[in-house]
């Protein structure tokens, strides 16, 4: 496949000369989706006149990594090979709706009729934002084998791709009958683009999968380097904001870094003990920041599932925690508010998480079939245990509140029998068998 090759695709935006709906492009403002080294995406604002940029959304796996389209209500349509989803208005990345992507749509373009045109190697489709329906509009001409991108240039809807001979082609799309689209050779290879104007010429802004933006002029086939964005993210998509919507605000540049917890665990403390783990390292605190540690239940929603907060790296078992249930601990850094980290701080940061599962304490039930004994006689005591064997049981024999004997027995299973004898000379009266300590394979219960 000629041209640039990247594993991820972007959505390109729409440009219609004289269309008020897309007037934002006249200001040369583009929005980009970009991924970090872990392949997780975020949103960028880019001023093409000055190359100034900023992040307008948090990095999130909810953001599709092939293409994105900003819709007239401010929400975002995301496309990727594993599905199509609609996200909230940035900086929100909440999934409002999602579906699969069996047709393999990997790029989209908002049109003046309110539809988003979707392209795949199989043909042209459309997405209707009013009811979240996807329709297949038709296959490409037989000469087209792959399609990468879709965009408007000077009011005309195009896609680009390759033909059966792997030659780059430009497809002038016939929306009513995609099979009748006009296919012509082009020097334009793979793009992640958005139509627009540069120095008065209509053409295509596109990215190269890193952090450089170019402009393609179809009139003479020239390519100009426009911006090199100062970021470690790789740009995978470009789009514009429909007219009538305010620009998304830049998120603050954050100093907070909760650092790293040394790898350990999974921890399995007893529910009557205290979990103590190494303090976080490589922490960065801003002027108003505070470091705390959290115990939480959902690694996909750390802030929303916090069960306990500590100023030191230690936790004790307390409701609503349950034994036998995996939990997680992490360091947390953010602005201080009333003695605690403000969970609404836009720069709130968490470290990596370590797993913890509280272990239940062992238990024992003792029974004596024959309680009518005389001094010097012996009796078999039955023990029924809960926990994980082996078990070490220690206890006392009491008469009149006085200890008249002790015992220490080990059992491999959940049941056992041991013999106790009433010492000679014991005064008449009740004899009590009392467990004072029980230890199983995990925990001790004094």
């Amino acid at each position: 496949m000629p041209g640039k090759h990247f594993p991820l695709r972007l959505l390109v935006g729409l440009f219609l000369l004289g269309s008020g709906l897309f007037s934002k492009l006249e200001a040369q403002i583009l929005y980009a989706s970009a991924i970090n080294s872990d392949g997780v995406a975020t949103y960028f604002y880019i001023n093409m006149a000055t190359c100034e940029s900023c992040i307008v959304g948090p990095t999130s796996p909810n953001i599709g990594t092939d293409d994105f389209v900003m819709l007239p209500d401010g929400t975002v349509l995301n496309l990727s090979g594993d599905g199509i989803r609609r996200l909230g208005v940035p900086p929100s990345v909440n999934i409002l709706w999602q579906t699969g992507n069996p047709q393999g749509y990997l790029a989209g373009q908002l049109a003046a009729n309110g539809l988003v045109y979707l392209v795949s190697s199989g043909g042209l489709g459309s997405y209707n934002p009013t009811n979240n329906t996807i329709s297949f509009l038709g296959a490409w001409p037989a000469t087209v084998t792959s399609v990468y991108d879709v965009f408007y240039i000077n009011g005309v809807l195009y896609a680009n791709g390759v033909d059966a001979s792997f030659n780059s082609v430009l497809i002038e799309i016939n929306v009513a009958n995609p099979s009748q689209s006009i296919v012509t050779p082009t020097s334009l290879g793979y793009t992640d683009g958005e139509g627009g104007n540069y120095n008065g010429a209509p053409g295509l802004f596109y990215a190269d999968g890193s952090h450089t933006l170019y402009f393609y002029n179809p009139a003479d086939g020239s390519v100009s380097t426009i911006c090199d964005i100062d970021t470690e993210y790789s740009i995978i998509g470009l789009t514009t904001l429909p007219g009538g919507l305010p620009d998304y605000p830049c998120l603050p540049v954050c100093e907070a870094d909760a650092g790293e917890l040394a790898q350990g665990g999974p921890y399995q403390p007893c529910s009557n003990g205290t979990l103590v783990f190494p303090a976080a390292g490589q922490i960065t605190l801003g002027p108003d920041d505070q470091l705390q540690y959290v115990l939480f239940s959902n690694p996909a929603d750390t802030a929303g599932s916090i069960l306990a907060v500590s100023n030191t790296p230690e936790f004790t078992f307390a409701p609503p925690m349950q034994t036998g249930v995996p939990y997680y601990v992490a360091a947390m850094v953010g602005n201080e508010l009333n003695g605690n980290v403000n969970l609404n701080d836009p720069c709130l940061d968490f470290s990596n998480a370590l797993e913890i599962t509280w272990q239940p304490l062992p238990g024992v039930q003792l029974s004596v079939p024959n309680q009518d004994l005389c001094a010097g006689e012996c009796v078999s005591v039955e023990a029924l245990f809960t926990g994980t064997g082996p078990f070490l049981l220690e206890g006392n024999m009491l008469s009149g509140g006085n200890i008249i004997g002790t015992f220490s027995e080990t059992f491999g299973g959940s049941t056992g029998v041991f013999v106790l004898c009433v010492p000679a000379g014991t005064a008449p009266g009740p004899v009590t068998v009392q467990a004072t300590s029980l230890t199983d394979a995990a925990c001790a219960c004094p």
Side-chain angles (χ1 to χ4, degrees):
M1 181 173 66
K4 296 180 173 63
H5 301 254
F6 301 103
L8 302 173
R9 285 204 35 79
L10 116 97
L11 155 76
V12 295
L14 163 67
F15 179 73
L16 287 176
L17 291 179
S19 171
L21 178 62
F22 306 105
S23 60
K24 286 290 180 181
L25 191 56
E26 298 296 336
Q28 305 289 301
I29 302 300
L30 297 181
Y31 287 87
S33 62
I35 58 170
N36 61 19
S37 58
D38 294 325
V40 186
T42 189
Y43 302 129
F44 273 84
Y45 161 100
I46 304 174
N47 186 324
M48 297 302 295
T50 63
C51 294
E52 295 176 330
S53 66
C54 68
I55 292 177
V56 298
T59 302
S60 171
N62 288 354
I63 302 175
T65 54
D66 283 305
D67 204 356
F68 77 123
V69 182
M70 291 178 171
L71 302 174
D73 66 351
T75 60
V76 178
L77 182 70
N78 269 158
L79 297 95
S80 62
D82 62 353
I84 300 174
R85 61 189 63 86
R86 188 170 182 170
L87 305 183
V89 178
S92 171
V93 291
N94 291 336
I95 297 177
L96 307 178
W97 167 86
Q98 61 182 336
T99 187
N101 189 10
Q103 299 85 2
Y105 294 121
L106 296 181
Q109 174 64 60
L110 180 63
N113 60 10
L115 298 177
V116 176
Y117 289 115
L118 308 173
V119 297
S120 71
S121 295
L124 180 71
S126 67
Y127 164 78
N128 189 335
T130 62
N131 54 18
N132 294 322
T133 58
I134 297 174
S135 303
F136 182 71
L137 303 180
W140 303 118
T143 57
V144 176
T145 58
S146 295
V147 171
Y148 311 137
D149 204 356
V150 58
F151 44 84
Y152 277 95
I153 297 179
N154 207 19
V156 179
L157 184 63
Y158 294 98
N160 64 345
V162 296
D163 61 18
S165 300
F166 295 99
N167 297 311
S168 295
V169 294
L170 189 65
I171 306 164
E172 184 177 332
I173 298 175
N174 184 326
V175 174
N177 188 353
S179 65
Q180 297 300 309
S181 299
I182 301 172
V183 181
T184 57
T186 181
S187 61
L188 186 66
Y190 181 98
T191 59
D192 298 320
E194 173 73 14
N197 262 3
Y198 180 66
N199 290 336
L204 181 70
F205 293 101
Y206 69 95
D208 68 350
S210 61
H211 45 73
T212 303
L213 296 177
Y214 304 92
F215 182 79
Y216 169 73
N217 186 337
D220 57 13
S222 63
V223 174
S224 304
T225 301
I226 307 301
C227 292
D228 186 33
I229 305 302
D230 183 17
T231 176
E232 296 180 358
Y233 285 78
S234 299
I235 296 173
I236 57 172
L238 296 173
T239 190
T240 53
L241 191 62
L245 296 178
D247 286 322
Y248 299 125
C250 296
L251 295 183
V253 177
C254 298
E255 298 180 59
D257 187 341
E260 291 288 326
L261 294 179
Q263 292 299 324
Y267 294 104
Q268 296 183 320
C270 298
S271 57
N272 64 342
T274 298
L275 169 68
V276 180
F277 52 97
Q282 306 175 46
I283 301 166
T284 301
L285 299 178
D288 301 318
D289 286 342
Q290 179 178 355
L291 167 69
Q292 289 185 306
Y293 296 88
V294 291
L295 185 148
F296 57 99
S297 61
N298 185 358
D301 183 19
T302 300
S305 64
I306 294 174
L307 300 178
V309 179
S310 174
N311 290 329
T312 56
E314 59 183 64
F315 289 98
T316 56
F317 182 82
M321 302 175 199
Q322 302 178 48
T323 60
V325 176
Y327 296 103
Y328 306 88
V329 294
M332 172 178 67
V333 168
N335 285 342
E336 185 273 337
L337 178 64
N338 299 325
N340 289 296
V341 171
N342 181 4
L343 296 179
N344 294 316
D345 180 3
C347 290
L348 181 70
D349 188 59
F350 295 95
S351 73
N352 59 310
L354 305 179
E355 185 175 326
I356 164 181
T357 302
W358 296 103
Q359 299 301 305
L361 299 180
V364 62
Q365 180 178 348
L366 302 177
S367 63
V368 182
N370 180 14
Q371 300 182 4
D372 187 12
L373 299 176
C374 296
E377 292 186 339
C378 299
V379 65
S380 294
V381 181
E382 296 179 355
L384 176 63
F385 298 98
T386 57
T388 303
F391 299 92
L392 173 61
L393 174 64
E394 296 179 335
N396 298 326
M397 292 179 63
L398 303 174
S399 176
N402 299 314
I403 298 175
I404 60 173
T406 63
F407 58 89
S408 178
E409 304 286 343
T410 301
F411 305 89
S414 59
T415 61
V417 176
F418 61 102
V419 176
L420 292 179
C421 297
V422 179
T426 301
V431 174
T432 303
V433 179
Q434 176 189 59
T436 59
S437 175
L438 176 63
T439 303
D440 71 354
C443 298
C445 183

